[in-house]
Amino acid sequence: MIKVRLDKAHLEENILDYQESVDKAHNWLHEHNGKGSDFTGWVEWPVTYDKEEYARIKEVGKEIHENADVFLVCGIGGSYLGARSAIEFLQGLYSDRKPEIIFVGNTFSSTYISQVMKHIEGKSVYVDVISKSGTTTETSISFRLLKQYVEKHFPGEASKRIIATTDKHKGTLKALADKEGYREFVVPDNIGGRYSVFTAVGLLPIAAAGIDIDELMKGSFDAMNDLSVREIDKNPAYQYAVARRVLENSGKCAEMFVSYDLGTTMMAEWWKQLFGESEGKEGKGILPVSATFSTDLHSMGQFIQQGRKLLFETVLCVGKPIEDMVFPGDEENLDNMNYLAGKSIDWVNKMAMEGTIDAHVNTGNVPNILIELPDQTAYSYGYLIYFFFLACGVTCYMLDINPFNQPGVEVYKKNMFALLGKPE
Ligand code: PA5
């Protein structure tokens, strides 16, 4: 399903020599006894997920899909990046999507928040507020505004139009949702934000967008089974996990996730969070950065080709795009573009990719990892996300890091709360 192609010329060590280290990481993950093991519920989630809740997600998702003009997904970090990445990857940026989906609660930008509040005036809105802790400030600010908006414009309908996705038992949002009688979904105790795409956190917005979440879950299930082998040569997730460490050992301190589709830009944001928050601690880790080509070849391409040799590229190559079209001929050919007449635009994109990889690897001396995915379907998305979860867990364990916490994120909050005068 997924193939990982390594640029062997730039790998200074044989990845198969890391089998012992991978075995250890594999066991820690699958036996749930490594660092942060309380948060490894995602490993078997494609079979252990709550079937009753899953049926409710589909029901409520359908209701939102059919009735909302605008669906506001209110959350930050792991509480929104997965859903947004899925929706844009699977539907593109300008599909005739209904309802319109707006992601809020992920910023303090007063302009963004004010403009969204004006934009929804007069429209039928549904809101999904998503927060595991239930206290995240960005999310709480936007949610209070939306709550008041719904109560004012849809009197008596708040319990229908507002859905809360939060901890099963505790937290401010849980208490508020109970009191207001909102429909509730659960962020499982044993799954952290950035590993939560296959829970209600990701699935409800994805279902509301009209995407087939059965297919997505099937992809995650097949990935869980296919990628459960411990041998590096049989497991593409482990090949990727080890190749990162080998490239780091040879002096590469940044990894650029590259895709060739603007609909994948948010997947890159999700990927950056997954690897950055999981790995960047104790003074260790590879800096995750991203670019969308060929767009960014006209901004970042120069640095990659000839700048400081600090990075390697991980390129996502998707076989079949969501849509394609044939480039037309023109009788006058004033733009001299007839040499491409009759070719598909995706073919041009693929040629750009081949030429760029060749330029970066062979002339620019930039190592490359190629991840090949057959198509842009819900099944493939589910498969790919599980692939990244697993690769991330293993590559972090190889560094002796807990991949499932994010203690460093608290520091800015402490300072901000002091400045905001938040009561203890
Ligand atoms: O991956 C994570 O755990 C974080 O990115 C959280 O998802 C993010 O900080 C939001 O937290 P919460 O869901 O508690 O509002």
Side-chain angles (χ1 to χ4, degrees):
M1 171 66 190
I2 283 186
K3 285 204 179 78
V4 168
R5 295 198 192 280
L6 301 173
D7 145 29
K8 298 237 169 65
H10 281 102
L11 286 179
E12 292 176 4
E13 299 166 83
N14 184 346
I15 58 165
L16 302 183
D17 292 345
Y18 281 81
Q19 189 62 57
E20 206 179 306
S21 166
V22 165
D23 280 343
K24 254 197 227 164
H26 175 96
N27 291 344
W28 281 330
L29 275 182
H30 289 88
E31 291 166 17
H32 305 278
N33 54 11
K35 288 186 175 172
S37 59
D38 287 355
F39 290 93
T40 48
W42 57 269
V43 177
E44 295 89 12
W45 188 253
V47 278
T48 59
Y49 68 93
D50 179 342
K51 314 296 179 296
E52 183 275 330
E53 184 182 59
Y54 183 78
R56 280 200 306 120
I57 291 172
K58 283 169 72 172
E59 234 171 68
V60 178
K62 187 163 180 281
E63 177 188 327
I64 297 168
H65 184 67
E66 286 170 358
N67 297 318
D69 295 330
V70 182
F71 179 42
L72 295 127
V73 180
C74 187
I76 193 167
S79 289
Y80 96 103
L81 283 167
R84 186 161 178 187
S85 79
I87 292 166
E88 294 190 6
F89 180 75
L90 296 171
Q91 296 184 326
L93 300 182
Y94 288 98
S95 67
D96 47 6
R97 177 165 45 244
K98 195 202 147 289
E100 180 183 9
I101 299 182
I102 304 182
F103 292 89
V104 290
N106 52 26
T107 177
F108 292 127
S109 161
S110 53
T111 305
Y112 183 80
I113 295 169
S114 309
Q115 289 183 344
V116 169
M117 294 310 295
K118 282 187 208 136
H119 179 79
I120 63 177
E121 282 287 340
K123 296 177 180 153
S124 170
V125 304
Y126 274 69
V127 178
D128 182 14
V129 54
I130 308 173
S131 176
K132 183 168 183 169
S133 63
T135 54
T136 301
T137 318
E138 289 87 340
T139 305
S140 301
I141 284 186
S142 283
F143 180 58
R144 177 181 285 197
L145 292 166
L146 290 171
K147 179 175 184 292
Q148 291 181 353
Y149 177 89
V150 169
E151 285 165 357
K152 182 171 162 206
H153 291 84
F154 304 96
E157 291 189 26
S159 63
K160 176 180 126 187
R161 291 181 179 269
I162 298 178
I163 293 117
T165 304
T166 188
D167 191 273
K168 191 168 191 174
H169 305 289
K170 57 180 193 303
T172 311
L173 179 58
K174 168 71 184 157
L176 184 155
D178 284 352
K179 174 158 182 307
E180 300 288 0
Y182 299 155
R183 286 181 281 186
E184 294 179 37
F185 291 99
V186 171
V187 189
D189 289 342
N190 58 357
I191 298 184
R194 57 192 177 275
Y195 294 84
S196 67
V197 189
F198 301 126
T199 73
V201 172
L203 292 183
L204 180 60
I206 295 170
I211 292 165
D212 184 348
I213 61 171
D214 287 345
E215 276 300 299
L216 193 140
M217 289 304 283
K218 187 170 184 323
S220 74
F221 176 81
D222 285 352
M224 182 192 73
N225 286 331
D226 295 353
L227 304 175
S228 64
V229 284
R230 62 177 61 237
E231 290 83 9
I232 298 171
D233 59 339
K234 299 197 181 82
N235 190 327
Y238 294 174
Q239 290 158 19
Y240 172 50
V242 177
R244 298 178 78 253
R245 295 277 75 92
V246 169
L247 289 166
E248 183 185 42
N249 291 345
S250 65
K252 302 299 173 201
C253 58
E255 175 178 11
M256 181 173 275
F257 178 91
V258 173
S259 75
Y260 280 77
D261 178 1
L262 291 171
T264 310
T265 306
M266 285 313 296
M267 180 187 280
E269 294 304 312
W270 172 85
W271 172 90
K272 282 192 278 192
Q273 189 209 357
L274 180 69
F275 282 82
E277 245 180 24
S278 299
E279 188 178 65
K281 48 197 81 148
E282 299 176 28
K284 301 181 191 171
I286 298 171
L287 174 71
V289 294
S290 65
T292 308
F293 291 168
S294 68
T295 314
D296 294 334
L297 284 173
H298 297 255
S299 58
M300 298 292 288
Q302 172 60 36
F303 187 98
I304 299 164
Q305 188 74 40
Q306 295 183 327
R308 193 165 161 197
K309 297 291 134 191
L310 50 78
L311 63 85
F312 63 93
E313 289 179 303
T314 294
V315 177
L316 178 67
C317 170
V318 178
K320 191 170 179 297
I322 307 173
E323 297 193 35
D324 198 3
M325 65 190 293
V326 172
F327 187 68
D330 187 282
E331 237 170 64
E332 291 192 88
N333 194 27
L334 295 176
D335 54 8
N336 293 326
M337 292 299 287
N338 266 357
Y339 76 103
L340 291 178
K343 305 283 192 212
S344 89
I345 306 271
D346 185 56
W347 180 81
V348 175
N349 204 18
K350 295 284 190 304
M351 293 307 105
M353 183 182 77
E354 266 186 40
T356 305
I357 292 176
D358 185 17
H360 289 183
V361 172
N362 297 321
T363 316
N365 201 18
V366 176
N368 188 280
I369 298 174
L370 189 67
I371 298 177
E372 291 179 327
L373 195 68
D375 52 38
Q376 228 157 316
T377 58
Y379 176 87
S380 293
Y381 176 86
Y383 201 107
L384 181 66
I385 294 305
Y386 192 93
F387 164 92
F388 279 132
F389 284 166
L390 192 64
C392 185
V394 166
T395 207
C396 290
Y397 274 157
M398 289 177 72
L399 270 190
D400 199 24
I401 290 266
N402 175 354
F404 309 115
N405 63 2
Q406 54 284 331
V409 182
E410 295 311 309
V411 185
Y412 98 88
K413 290 187 192 167
K414 202 165 157 263
N415 290 350
M416 179 182 75
F417 291 149
L419 292 165
L420 294 174
K422 185 179 181 189
E424 281 304 309

